Amino acid sequence: DVGDLEPLGSLPVPEGQPIDFLLVFVMEKYCHFDLFMKELQFSWRALQYASPAFRANRGIIRMAMHQDWHALELASPELRKDRELVRMALEQDGLALEKVVLEVRNERPLVLAAVQQNWQALRFATVRLRGDRDLVWVAMEQSVDALQFAAPPLRADRALFLEAVQKSGLALQYASEGLRADREIALKAAWQNSKALELIAQDLAKDPAFLKNLRGRGEATRHFGDWDSDQRRSAEKDVFDMYNP
């Protein structure tokens, strides 16, 4: 809409000039606009060659973003902070959070929109929001690998990791040292994925009472120490006896 581009009264027409001067100015200005809009409909990249006035026009940027959110990167500094346009970009691709201005990365509703679209967007949130338990939980429900971006206090959150290791035992790799030594968390992780035994605290991995709880988890026996160890032979015997009564 040409009317959205610039109010007619703001055009720099010298005082006292006749109306035909104004019409010539308008025709020249908006013929260029018409040509630009045709190019923009063909490709959002036409913004690379647009004037500052076009890049500062919200309607033009929105139209370009319907093709590709990257058009926001070519907008004026003011529009790159426009919350509605930023949300539009994040709903297309959560990883767009990397490209938005820093102050936006600290706004929870926008970061939540990004994380809901792509859990990996959590890496671009501010430290404050990476410590937001509910936000991290949303990301974790998509992939436990999101826990690698959680703030340190959350990586020591027992309830969070009790849930995480039941989704994937390998979530234990993102837990604090204290949680890796937590018997219940380690056991749940090992039952979900025997490879988690490589991640638990060493003292726990050598604890016969802990290993005894893994009876029936046949593939876990390869993590029980050297081939000649009494610990491994005992674990393998338990598994053999279970399947050969």
Side-chain angles (χ1 to χ4, degrees), residues 90-97 111-124 138-139 142-143 146 149:
L90 297 177
E91 289 177 349
Q92 287 184 38
D93 183 355
L95 298 183
L97 190 64
V111 174
L112 178 60
V115 169
Q116 287 174 329
Q117 202 284 326
N118 189 324
W119 64 267
Q120 295 185 69
L122 186 63
R123 78 170 76 178
F124 304 119
V138 169
Q142 297 176 51
S143 172
F149 305 125

Side-chain angles (χ1 to χ4, degrees), residues 16-70:
Q17 289 289 347
I19 189 64
D20 57 344
F21 180 92
L22 176 60
L23 292 175
V24 168
F25 184 90
V26 170
M27 288 297 293
E28 181 179 343
K29 185 177 184 71
Y30 291 116
C31 279
H32 288 311
F33 173 78
D34 185 58
L35 290 173
F36 169 74
M37 292 304 292
K38 288 180 180 178
E39 289 297 321
L40 185 64
Q41 289 172 2
F42 177 74
S43 173
W44 65 272
R45 295 181 186 277
L47 277 173
Q48 298 178 68
Y49 313 106
S51 68
F54 288 176
R55 293 189 186 197
N57 183 275
R58 199 168 185 276
I60 288 176
I61 298 301
R62 176 189 288 276
M63 182 182 297
M65 287 181 65
H66 280 300
Q67 297 180 39
D68 194 306
W69 71 264
H70 286 90

